Amino acid sequence: MSLSNTYETHVLNYVFTTTSVSRPTAWYLALYTGAPSDAGGGTEVSGNGYARQTAAWSVSGNLATNSGAIEYPACTGNAWGTVTHIGVHTAASGGDLIVHSSLTTSKAVAVGDVLRVNAGEIDITLD
């Protein structure tokens, strides 16, 4: 996973200055059919029952892992397309992108499909 430009700045300010840094109080997993970048953007899935889902994390050493399953509602209407990337955001809509990554395996989501990310499937490391 790659930190967004915004959160790279937050980390540097937290570690190397006395500047106050606001931290999120909730985390939301977004699905993308087009890659976001460190600056944001990308093509997030929209409509047809899609909504970002909350995610909880556990941290050990330099690794954060989703501590519970994250399940999206069934796709309604038109298919969501092929999900190729994920991003963690600070809000259910809008908000800041914290980190983003491509999926190891893309997932085509058709009408009626439920996309589920099992606990422990998302790893975020700082190297």
Side-chain angles (χ1 to χ4, degrees):
M1 291 220 138
S2 179
L3 276 171
S4 68
N5 292 342
T6 298
Y7 274 79
E8 287 172 349
T9 301
H10 283 347
V11 168
L12 291 172
N13 274 321
Y14 180 83
V15 174
F16 295 108
T17 74
T18 58
T19 300
S20 180
V21 177
S22 297
R23 57 177 290 196
T25 56
W27 300 265
Y28 298 85
L29 188 67
L31 307 176
Y32 290 87
T33 58
S37 70
D38 290 354
T43 305
E44 185 174 356
V45 172
S46 65
N48 302 306
Y50 171 78
R52 292 178 187 168
Q53 298 298 302
T54 57
W57 306 92
S58 60
V59 175
S60 179
N62 71 334
L63 176 69
T65 303
N66 63 308
S67 57
I70 304 164
E71 189 169 298
Y72 292 82
C75 174
T76 62
N78 294 325
W80 292 350
T82 301
V83 176
T84 59
H85 293 76
I86 58 173
V88 178
H89 289 259
T90 60
S93 64
D96 290 324
L97 175 64
I98 301 170
V99 294
H100 62 92
S101 179
S102 61
L103 296 177
T104 303
T105 304
S106 297
K107 172 67 177 156
V109 180
V111 174
D113 286 352
V114 172
L115 192 140
R116 178 184 170 97
V117 178
N118 292 320
E121 287 190 337
I122 301 173
D123 292 332
I124 302 169
T125 59
L126 294 179
D127 293 326

